[in-house]
Amino acid sequence: MQAAAKAHGPAAAALPAARRPRPAAAAACRPGLRFQATPERRVPQDAPARQLAAKASSTGAAAVEQAPTQQAPAPPTEVKYAAKLEVLPLNPKCDSIRVSCSERLSEVEFNQRHGTTTNAYLLKGSGGRYEALIDVPSRVFDVDFVRALRDLGATSSLRYIIITRLTPERLPVLARVLAACEQQGLQLLLSNPALRLLNERAEADEALASALRNVQLEAVSRGSELYLTQRGQARGRRLRFIPIPTPRWPDLMAVHSDEDNILFSSNFFSAHNASEALLPTANGGRRSAADTGGWDVFGNDWAFYYECMLAPVARQVATALDRLNITATQSQGSLAAVLAPLRRLAAVVEELTLGADNGESEPLPVSMIAPMHGPVVKQALTELLGRYADWTAAQVQAAESSCVAVLYASAYGNTASLAQAISHGITKAGVAVETLNLEQAGLDELERALDRCQGFVLGSPTLGGHLPTQVQTALGTIIRNANARQVPCSVFGSFGWSGEAVDIMEKRLKDAGFRFAFDPIRCKFKPTGQTLQVCEESGLDLAQEIRKAAKRKEKLAAAKLSVAETASGKALAVARVLGSLCVLTARDGEEEGAAEGAMLASWVSQASFDPPGLTVAVKRDRAMESLLPVGASFVLNVLAEGREKAMMKQMLKPFKPAEDRFEGVEVQRSEATGAVIIPEAAAYLECKVEDRMDAGDHVVLYASVDSGQVLDDTAQTSVHYRKVGSSY
């Protein structure tokens, strides 16, 4: 029987065999960012951010000049990461193609240093032949994905390719897969935003356009269904499509398989962990992709992924969870019951109900979740669903008291990476983030975000030396908004040529009297680890300024009371627990420009004799916290009594993001870790983080001591005395 496909969104026909040539500038324009090309200007094919002249927006921007004629800078060499590809079974009718990479990638979401996996899934139809492929890996991983499909016999039998999230890095792999497939009438199913990106890129990419010529493109939307074939029946396995967009991923969608209740969740419920030791061997000697060990093994990875990628878009996550309405088949109750408190929050009623059946979505039975990254969620299914609801509710509730609006447009994903790092710093400090992608958001949504925020940041790429129209329009709205003029702010952006966009935004806001919380951030091409550290620490600075402002209001009411009068007996008693006064230093790698930091630490204690180990408590909003995942090394400098004041003064100075904490101070470097050793300390210990434990507003690190040395055997350890246990 022929497979049946039903799509309720507009379908795009296959690209024609002959294509009319387009001006180079128009071909290079990033979909969603509106520009008007300067007449008769041709753009170098290799320009990383193609020269486009922006037409002045209706908000009053002046007409722009022609683009400069100098040679564009060469883009950085494309990086290929060593990776391993293996096929792992989910069940008799579904296999996972797991591309795993243990190397360290630069984005903030990979800071756990556990590597990553990119997962694709093959679904079988009648006769055990592969009929549908869900997703393809990025080209940055050095694997031959098409060869793997060919070796499996999939290129001769695939009838459907489903893309749950499309990025420019996946397009070359997708083009090769399409070109290799042999079935006539091959269908490519994806969301409307992904289809727009695909068509725009095909106009400028001959290889992609050629691969698409004999492919039927289907734009799927909520309610779309696809039936795979099955012998003796008109319809086989049913796949349902559920859009779950976020500002950074407007094309995101999930796919549900009714036959076996698998939810292919794309980026939701993902984690970055490539450990092969965690893959069990199933019956028959083949390893499984499931989450063996459950929450105890993968919990920190799931939590960190959510914190980095989804906490800044908690309102949209709440909508997506409500729309999915998952019921774990091995447990009682559904996600809808857990989400009930969210629906009672007035601030998210509109987001929860808009396009989501007013919170009455049909329950979705799920036995396992197959995400784009990390293990297939089976053993920890109920736990992870509950945690997602708890995390989302906490972020939405936090937004009621303090929130930063992160507003941006991104041409090639680099500005979005900066926005993600800034957002991570903000949420680490306990301040909520409301993210708006200006390519997707309307002016009403922007106005609401500005009205309720306690701070904002604005990001833009530089294309043709100018701002995209969407950012120009948003800038005018910001300047006119009464609340926005009263709160701290800053700007950021990426560029490939000259970077004028950040200068334009900075000048207009400062001329209008806006107060900047941190220096503007400029990034050429793809952000480095050091650039992302600057972004994260800048977000921390902004969030801490907002929290300090709130605390100042609270202190005014108790200004005449002494510490002893305002503190409880419990807080006074806790203060009698003493700790050694130390400086903790760490460096993330040996290469030039690697992220590094330092902090005062007094909540330090020996924890074990054999092996020698200690614990250190680090506050979550410290910039150093992100440099101390499991496996990281650090140096603990134990300060000497009588010589500690100079170093305390140095550490307590205000620092700009990623600024050298030891500028002007004589220090040494550890040969093993590259971290700073303070010669004036009484002793130092070189340690490795073995485990982390959440402890309220702190994280407790357990570290093994690899080596150490007493620098002054006559010195006594400096001890930190406090009056009250509710502060340092």
Side-chain angles (χ1 to χ4, degrees):
M1 300 294 292
Q2 290 290 328
K6 180 174 69 175
H8 297 282
L15 292 177
R19 292 164 54 249
R20 291 179 296 176
R22 298 182 69 200
C29 184
R30 161 70 161 81
L33 296 182
R34 297 189 293 274
F35 294 86
Q36 180 173 334
T38 305
E40 306 303 326
R41 285 291 297 162
R42 295 198 55 89
V43 182
Q45 291 290 330
D46 61 346
R50 306 289 205 273
Q51 285 294 302
L52 300 171
K55 184 174 75 172
S57 73
S58 59
T59 58
V64 297
E65 300 176 357
Q66 290 227 355
T69 58
Q70 69 264 31
Q71 182 68 29
T77 304
E78 181 182 343
V79 176
K80 283 279 189 180
Y81 295 98
K84 177 181 178 180
L85 185 150
E86 55 186 332
V87 180
L88 302 171
L90 296 189
N91 62 35
K93 290 190 176 182
C94 180
D95 289 336
S96 167
I97 304 180
R98 182 180 190 263
V99 177
S100 59
C101 173
S102 59
E103 292 191 37
R104 172 77 182 278
L105 281 69
S106 62
E107 285 82 355
V108 170
E109 63 193 275
F110 302 106
N111 275 0
Q112 292 288 86
R113 310 180 196 180
H114 294 162
T116 189
T117 71
T118 293
N119 307 322
Y121 300 95
L122 283 168
L123 308 183
K124 296 177 182 178
S126 62
R129 290 168 61 83
Y130 293 118
E131 194 165 332
L133 170 67
I134 299 179
D135 289 321
V136 298
S138 168
R139 67 181 177 187
V140 303
F141 299 112
D142 193 11
V143 295
D144 193 337
F145 187 72
V146 172
R147 179 178 177 179
L149 292 178
R150 191 174 286 118
D151 290 346
L152 291 167
T155 53
S156 63
S157 60
L158 282 175
R159 300 172 60 84
Y160 308 101
I161 296 176
I162 299 165
I163 301 297
T164 67
R165 181 193 167 211
L166 189 62
T167 65
E169 291 77 22
R170 297 174 192 271
L171 283 171
V173 181
L174 176 61
R176 291 193 289 271
V177 170
L178 293 173
C181 288
E182 302 169 14
Q183 284 281 346
Q184 294 294 318
L186 179 68
Q187 291 188 34
L188 176 61
L189 299 97
L190 65 178
S191 66
N192 269 305
L195 182 60
R196 288 195 294 270
L197 171 62
L198 183 71
N199 283 330
E200 287 285 345
R201 291 304 174 101
E203 291 286 352
D205 186 334
E206 181 61 41
L208 178 60
S210 176
L212 288 169
R213 283 184 183 130
N214 297 316
V215 175
Q216 181 180 347
L217 305 182
E218 290 286 346
V220 297
S221 59
R222 194 174 183 205
S224 297
E225 296 176 346
L226 170 69
Y227 288 87
L228 303 187
T229 58
Q230 185 166 324
R231 289 178 179 175
Q233 295 185 19
R235 291 177 172 180
R237 180 203 301 245
R238 181 176 68 155
L239 302 180
R240 287 190 282 170
F241 300 92
I242 308 163
I244 47 174
T246 72
R248 185 170 184 182
W249 306 318
D251 63 327
L252 206 66
M253 69 174 180
V255 182
H256 182 259
S257 170
D258 281 4
E259 181 178 289
D260 42 20
N261 290 329
I262 299 177
L263 178 67
F264 301 94
S265 62
S266 194
N267 283 54
F268 273 58
F269 307 107
S270 283
H272 290 305
N273 190 318
S275 175
E276 295 188 9
L278 301 178
L279 295 177
T281 301
N283 293 334
R286 296 183 68 189
R287 294 197 298 171
S288 167
D291 57 338
T292 299
W295 185 261
D296 290 341
V297 174
F298 295 102
N300 287 337
D301 297 304
W302 283 317
F304 190 77
Y305 186 92
Y306 182 96
E307 179 185 321
C308 291
M309 309 306 292
L310 296 173
V313 291
R315 294 175 184 275
Q316 291 83 0
V317 173
T319 304
L321 294 178
D322 183 73
R323 182 173 292 182
L324 290 170
N325 195 8
I326 298 169
T327 299
T329 55
Q330 74 265 39
S331 68
Q332 300 296 318
S334 71
L335 188 59
V338 185
L339 284 171
L342 272 176
R343 295 200 183 97
R344 292 196 290 269
L345 296 174
V348 294
V349 167
E350 182 177 358
E351 286 83 356
L352 279 172
T353 59
L354 186 60
D357 294 340
N358 293 324
E360 299 298 331
S361 300
E362 178 185 351
L364 194 69
V366 172
S367 63
M368 70 175 78
I369 294 176
M372 183 172 284
H373 305 290
V376 170
V377 185
K378 189 173 182 180
Q379 184 173 328
L381 178 60
T382 303
E383 176 80 9
L384 185 58
L385 291 175
R387 297 280 184 144
Y388 256 63
D390 291 343
W391 295 333
T392 303
Q395 288 295 322
V396 173
Q397 288 171 328
E400 297 301 300
S401 58
S402 59
C403 179
V404 174
V406 177
L407 319 168
Y408 73 93
S410 186
Y412 300 106
N414 295 329
T415 304
S417 293
L418 302 179
Q420 203 75 49
I422 293 170
S423 299
H424 186 226
I426 294 168
T427 56
K428 278 179 62 176
V431 175
V433 167
E434 182 168 0
T435 303
L436 290 185
N437 185 337
L438 298 175
E439 302 171 57
Q440 310 291 330
L443 287 180
D444 289 345
E445 191 176 1
L446 174 60
E447 286 277 13
R448 289 196 299 270
L450 292 172
D451 286 342
R452 61 192 175 209
C453 74
Q454 283 71 48
F456 72 88
V457 290
L458 178 64
S460 175
T462 297
L463 297 177
H466 303 284
L467 297 173
T469 301
Q470 294 95 327
V471 180
Q472 288 189 29
T473 303
L475 195 52
T477 302
I478 290 168
I479 290 173
R480 292 190 299 270
N481 186 275
N483 183 62
R485 299 176 71 92
Q486 307 300 318
V487 300
C489 69
S490 195
V491 295
F492 63 97
S494 64
F495 61 95
W497 190 305
S498 50
E500 293 91 345
V502 175
D503 297 333
I504 294 169
M505 294 186 295
E506 179 186 14
K507 185 177 188 304
R508 288 197 63 188
L509 290 174
K510 286 187 173 179
D511 286 350
F514 283 73
R515 176 169 55 88
F516 275 54
F518 58 84
D519 292 339
I521 298 173
R522 298 170 176 82
C523 172
K524 193 167 186 178
F525 298 123
K526 188 176 178 67
T528 63
Q530 187 176 39
T531 303
L532 295 175
Q533 182 190 11
V534 170
C535 291
E536 185 171 320
E537 292 186 15
S538 298
L540 273 170
D541 288 349
L542 173 57
Q544 287 170 348
E545 180 175 338
I546 291 171
R547 294 191 66 181
K548 286 176 183 177
K551 287 182 179 179
R552 282 195 293 270
K553 293 180 181 179
E554 296 174 3
K555 287 181 178 179
L556 288 176
K560 297 181 180 180
L561 299 178
S562 68
V563 170
E565 289 172 320
T566 57
S568 67
K570 178 171 61 177
L572 293 171
V574 169
R576 297 304 178 100
V577 179
L578 305 179
S580 303
L581 190 59
C582 306
V583 173
L584 190 153
T585 64
R587 181 179 175 88
D588 185 11
E590 299 178 0
E591 67 277 5
E592 184 179 354
E596 61 180 327
M599 58 171 270
L600 282 174
S602 61
W603 294 8
V604 180
S605 178
Q606 184 170 349
S608 60
F609 288 129
D610 186 16
L614 51 84
T615 58
V616 183
V618 181
K619 202 166 189 293
R620 290 183 181 277
D621 62 3
R622 289 296 188 96
M624 280 288 293
E625 187 271 337
S626 61
L627 294 176
L628 299 169
V630 172
S633 297
F634 65 87
V635 170
L636 190 70
N637 296 274
V638 183
L639 299 184
E641 187 178 35
R643 300 201 298 263
E644 72 275 23
K645 290 186 178 179
M647 189 52 61
M648 290 179 65
K649 184 177 180 181
Q650 179 72 19
M651 289 293 101
L652 294 173
K653 288 195 308 185
F655 289 99
K656 292 182 179 180
E659 184 179 353
D660 182 5
R661 267 59 170 171
F662 295 99
E663 185 176 2
V665 178
E666 182 181 348
V667 296
Q668 299 171 357
R669 292 277 180 180
S670 163
E671 293 183 2
T673 67
V676 165
I677 295 174
I678 301 171
E680 290 296 306
Y684 72 88
L685 301 169
E686 294 184 290
C687 308
K688 179 181 178 182
V689 180
E690 301 291 351
D691 203 356
R692 290 167 53 108
M693 182 183 75
D694 291 337
D697 56 1
H698 283 65
V699 174
V700 175
L701 312 177
Y702 169 69
S704 58
V705 179
D706 295 333
S707 63
Q709 185 176 342
V710 175
L711 300 176
D712 184 351
D713 56 10
T714 65
Q716 295 294 315
T717 299
S718 179
V719 177
H720 184 209
Y721 295 94
R722 298 179 296 157
K723 292 182 178 179
V724 63
S726 57
S727 68
Y728 294 122

